[in-house]
Amino acid sequence: MRAHNKVSVNDTDLNRQPAQAVPQAVAAAMRRRAARPLAVNPRANLTWPGGLARSLEWVRPGPSSSMTATPPSTAPTPSVLVVDDDPQVGELLSGYLGTRGFRVATAANGAQMRERLQREPFDLVLLDLGLPGEDGLHLTGWLRENWHGAIIIVTGRGEAVDRVVGLELGADDYVAKPFDLREMLARVRAVLRRAPPHGGASAAGSVLHFAGFRLDTKARSLKRQGGEEVPLTSGEYELLLAFVMAPHKVQSRDELLNATHGRDAGPYDKTIDVQVVRLRRKIERDATQPDLIKAVRGAGYVWTADVRRDHATP
């Protein structure tokens, strides 16, 4: 593991000194912190709105450091479609995500979104709820009915009900404007970790049997005993998996949100509650009197059914 030594040079420091003095100050700091040369790795720490705050991170090379170029990765490039009528937001997200290994395209409205989705595959749609004309909530419902990728809704609206309705309609997560780009990147990566590329199957898994259902974690599919498939969003699938992998164990909302979204719940975060309601509607005989997913007052939720596991056939 490489050791990291950081020397921060912010915009204020750059404004105070003449341009030629900056390399001298950095060189002096380098001599103080290490005897051998350091490699520079420029990092941009972006937030929106608010502009660009630059820092330089100096990384001490390890013994095996080399200038030899590594071959390009053969892994598929994750693809994101940004749907926002503000071109500056589209440009900002395209630049930021594009430099972090994503293929990014933009659309300004629902018609452009449908056209792009028909022309090429995408793994995730970042959908602004405040679109003019066709509302983002309506588009969320359309996406869930006609498309099988992941959805993150982006909203500047103050009402929590918009986020709740978006999750009810099938969105996998949400981000509120103004957003921090590092948080956006973390949310995108977390959602894509749960969703296979372009709606495909995951690489490995097992088959879980419970309460008349068969959950194939390799194909990420849930079927009833008679073979009828139960469609699940990526968020619903991950929530169900979190439950059946720990049957009869009470799990808090924070635990479930970490397992499904990679983050803790805020004081007014109803993401898990909304997804539990949606999942109950699909697997319970009576969603108003649930038998499989029970609420434990002040603690969270518990999966009550026994689970049997088989190895998935290759």
Side-chain angles (χ1 to χ4, degrees):
M1 182 179 293
R2 296 180 179 179
H4 291 65
N5 294 324
K6 296 185 178 180
V7 178
S8 294
V9 181
N10 56 36
D11 291 334
T12 305
D13 295 330
L14 295 176
N15 291 334
R16 285 178 185 159
Q17 304 181 60
Q20 65 271 20
V22 174
Q24 297 175 5
V26 172
M30 291 170 56
R31 286 196 297 270
R32 289 196 302 270
R33 298 182 70 87
R36 52 180 172 163
L38 299 175
V40 63
N41 177 20
R43 293 281 181 90
N45 172 22
L46 299 172
T47 58
W48 180 87
L52 176 66
R54 286 182 178 160
S55 64
L56 297 179
E57 182 182 71
W58 301 96
V59 183
R60 185 194 304 277
S64 60
S65 293
S66 169
M67 293 302 292
T68 304
T70 57
S73 171
T74 58
T77 301
S79 51
V80 177
L81 177 61
V82 178
V83 185
D84 198 303
D85 62 313
D86 187 339
Q88 290 184 332
V89 174
E91 183 179 350
L92 181 69
L93 288 171
S94 296
Y96 187 77
L97 295 176
T99 58
R100 282 152 180 82
F102 294 88
R103 178 177 64 85
V104 185
T106 61
N109 51 49
Q112 291 183 14
M113 179 193 76
R114 292 185 180 92
E115 182 184 354
R116 294 303 297 257
L117 291 175
Q118 289 175 354
R119 289 205 323 255
E120 54 190 306
F122 289 93
D123 298 308
L124 182 144
V125 168
L126 285 174
L127 177 61
D128 180 29
L129 293 188
L131 294 173
E134 193 171 9
D135 186 76
L137 289 174
H138 180 267
L139 291 175
T140 302
W142 183 90
L143 283 169
R144 191 45 70 211
E145 291 178 5
N146 298 277
W147 186 67
H148 302 293
I151 306 168
I152 295 179
I153 54 177
V154 184
T155 176
R157 302 176 182 180
E159 294 291 337
V161 67
D162 292 314
R163 298 194 293 268
V164 172
V165 172
L167 293 169
E168 281 273 10
L169 290 171
D172 298 286
D173 205 350
Y174 70 87
V175 177
K177 291 181 180 179
F179 52 76
D180 184 287
L181 285 177
R182 293 167 298 182
E183 179 188 4
M184 175 67 81
L185 177 63
R187 296 285 183 92
V188 168
R189 285 173 171 168
V191 168
L192 289 180
R193 278 197 298 270
R194 305 194 303 267
H198 307 319
S202 57
S206 58
V207 177
L208 305 170
H209 302 269
F210 50 85
F213 290 94
R214 180 182 187 273
L215 181 66
D216 188 336
T217 61
K218 181 177 181 180
R220 297 175 66 94
S221 67
L222 176 68
K223 293 183 179 180
R224 301 183 189 275
Q225 275 185 338
E228 177 191 0
E229 184 159 1
V230 180
L232 297 175
T233 67
S234 62
E236 292 163 356
Y237 170 83
E238 290 297 332
L239 181 60
L240 176 60
L241 189 63
F243 278 129
V244 300
M245 293 301 289
H248 310 294
K249 176 191 173 186
V250 176
Q251 299 187 67
S252 69
R253 287 172 176 80
D254 273 346
E255 289 175 315
L256 292 169
L257 198 59
N258 262 310
T260 58
H261 293 268
R263 60 183 173 88
D264 292 332
Y268 304 107
D269 196 327
K270 300 298 182 183
T271 303
I272 288 299
D273 300 301
V274 171
Q275 289 188 327
V276 165
V277 170
R278 287 176 53 86
L279 186 56
R280 280 173 171 166
R281 290 173 183 164
K282 295 183 177 183
I283 65 174
E284 297 276 7
R285 278 178 282 191
D286 183 356
T288 63
Q289 299 291 327
D291 294 321
L292 300 177
I293 305 173
K294 294 276 193 181
V296 180
R297 186 169 182 175
Y301 295 96
V302 61
W303 179 267
T304 62
D306 294 329
V307 179
R308 177 172 59 86
R309 179 183 300 189
D310 296 335
H311 292 295
T313 55

